[in-house]
Amino acid sequence: MNRTAERGVALIAAIFLVVIIGAGVVLLSILSVRNSQQTTQNLLQIRAQLSVEAALEYGVQSLVQGDNCNTYDPSNDVVLVIDAYPNFVIKLSCVQNNYVGPPSQIVSIMTLNATAEWGSPDDADYVWAESEATIEL
């Protein structure tokens, strides 16, 4: 029996195992990066939706306290600054429609629209959210 021939087979098997283990490590690192990116994207989307809801609440509260829809005219592009969402561009607009009810009662229906975006459309982490609320005063 010749032991020299068996040494070459062991070297090839060791190299093969190193390559397989290396490929597994690379695959796991790629999956980890993708998972991290997806988690970041989900977090940003949730924050965008919450910032839109906060803008709507702010608009409703200001209307209840006596402001009118002209404060949030859609042509003005009113940008809100909400401390909890410093990197979001949050816009709020309001459209008011007045209707005369049965005994000459004027009913004001206001439609608030809020949008929020983070980043730019060219960015991989870009998020955008929009929500609308209709209130009657």
Side-chain angles (χ1 to χ4, degrees), residues 34-46:
R34 285 187 183 167
N35 189 22
S36 175
Q37 290 171 341
Q38 185 63 41
T39 301
T40 300
Q41 186 70 21
N42 289 342
L43 179 64
L44 288 173
Q45 186 63 43
I46 290 169

Side-chain angles (χ1 to χ4, degrees), residues 62-113:
S62 66
L63 290 174
V64 167
Q65 289 179 345
D67 283 353
N68 57 24
C69 256
N70 295 335
T71 307
Y72 308 109
D73 188 1
S75 62
N76 289 342
D77 274 345
V78 176
V79 177
L80 297 178
V81 177
I82 299 176
D83 293 338
Y85 308 103
N87 296 326
F88 284 88
V89 177
I90 305 165
K91 296 181 182 178
L92 181 64
S93 65
C94 182
V95 176
Q96 180 174 351
N97 293 311
N98 294 323
Y99 300 97
V100 178
S104 299
Q105 178 184 4
I106 297 177
V107 176
S108 295
I109 296 180
M110 296 155 193
T111 304
L112 288 167
N113 185 306

